[in-house]
């Protein structure tokens, strides 16, 4: 899909991150439809123009959210998305991460690179101190991504989120700015 020159917020060797735009709808929804088998039963990103417009609009307008598209530097294709939701300021300075790869990019390490860029942006320009990821324990790819990015397992929340018609258990993973800046 052809792309105009985007404004990237951060760049790595193979991917860059940028904010969502309403113009991304056709590519995003096409990628979502192509990726249903990968996403189900964990994730339900928008797959119609109307749903995308509402979704992206919230990420663009709501100050408690920050949405990022992970784009391949070679061609600009959207590899996936990473959102910081429920941003709380004040003494907490925390946000909750959610993410998803698209099928054409899955298993290539692009999202892991993109997550590193988003973490750097969150702890840098966004001024957050803590990021959390809540993931269903059976979602081994998402658990591996959290672990690989240096998040620590902090606990288990039974019946935490209503997903796909039922209340689902989640593991709670977290990363602080200090943890990121501490050598392993």
């Amino acid at each position: 899909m052809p792309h105009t020159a985007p404004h990237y917020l951060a760049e790595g060797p193979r991917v860059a991150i940028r904010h969502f735009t309403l113009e991304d709808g056709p590519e995003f929804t096409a990628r979502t439809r192509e990726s249903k088998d990968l996403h189900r039963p964990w994730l339900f990103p928008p797959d119609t123009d109307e749903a995308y417009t509402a979704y992206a609009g919230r990420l663009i307008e709501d100050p408690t959210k920050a949405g990022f598209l992970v784009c391949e530097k070679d061609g600009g294709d959207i590899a996936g998305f990473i959102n910081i939701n429920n941003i709380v300021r004040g003494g907490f300075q925390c946000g909750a991460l959610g993410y998803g790869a698209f099928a054409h990019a899955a298993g290539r390490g692009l999202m892991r690179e993109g997550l590193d860029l988003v973490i750097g942006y969150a702890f840098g320009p966004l001024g957050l101190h803590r990021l959390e990821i809540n993931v269903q324990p059976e979602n081994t790819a998402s658990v591996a991504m959290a672990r690989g990015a240096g998040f620590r397992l902090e606990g288990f929340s039974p019946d935490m989120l209503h997903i796909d018609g039922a209340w689902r258990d989640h593991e709670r993973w977290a990363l602080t700015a200090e943890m990121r800046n501490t050598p392993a």
Side-chain angles (χ1 to χ4, degrees):
M1 296 181 188
H3 296 278
T4 59
H7 171 70
Y8 290 133
L9 302 167
E11 296 185 44
R14 298 179 301 150
V15 301
I17 59 169
R18 64 179 175 82
H19 288 300
F20 280 73
T21 69
L22 294 178
E23 292 77 24
D24 293 310
E27 181 181 1
F28 190 97
T29 56
R31 298 280 187 209
T32 295
R33 289 187 298 273
E34 294 166 2
S35 304
K36 280 192 184 207
D37 290 342
L38 176 67
H39 293 156
R40 300 297 190 262
W42 321 112
L43 191 60
F44 297 83
D47 61 0
T48 66
D49 291 337
E50 298 79 20
Y52 176 84
T53 298
Y55 175 80
R58 288 188 300 272
L59 291 168
I60 293 166
E61 299 295 328
D62 186 341
T64 68
K65 299 178 185 309
F68 303 92
L69 294 173
V70 177
C71 300
E72 295 184 67
K73 286 174 62 177
D74 183 19
D77 290 348
I78 300 171
F81 56 96
I82 302 171
N83 300 327
I84 306 174
N85 299 298
N86 306 322
I87 296 172
V88 178
R89 296 296 183 173
F92 200 31
Q93 296 297 336
C94 181
L97 286 175
Y99 45 78
F102 290 126
H104 76 282
R108 295 173 44 204
L110 301 176
M111 290 300 294
R112 176 62 188 86
E113 186 179 320
L115 179 58
D116 191 57
L117 295 173
V118 169
I119 292 168
Y121 191 82
F123 290 154
L126 283 182
L128 296 179
H129 171 259
R130 178 182 172 90
L131 293 170
E132 298 178 353
I133 298 172
N134 293 295
V135 60
Q136 294 177 60
E138 299 84 9
N139 187 344
T140 56
S142 285
V143 169
M145 187 127 129
R147 183 179 287 118
F151 284 72
R152 69 178 169 223
L153 179 61
E154 291 192 335
F156 181 78
S157 299
D159 300 331
M160 181 181 177
L161 289 174
H162 195 265
I163 299 173
D164 196 24
W167 289 99
R168 308 292 179 180
D169 299 341
H170 282 70
E171 292 178 348
R172 294 187 321 275
W173 295 78
L175 180 72
T176 65
E178 291 82 6
M179 289 167 60
R180 181 165 166 97
N181 294 325
T182 302

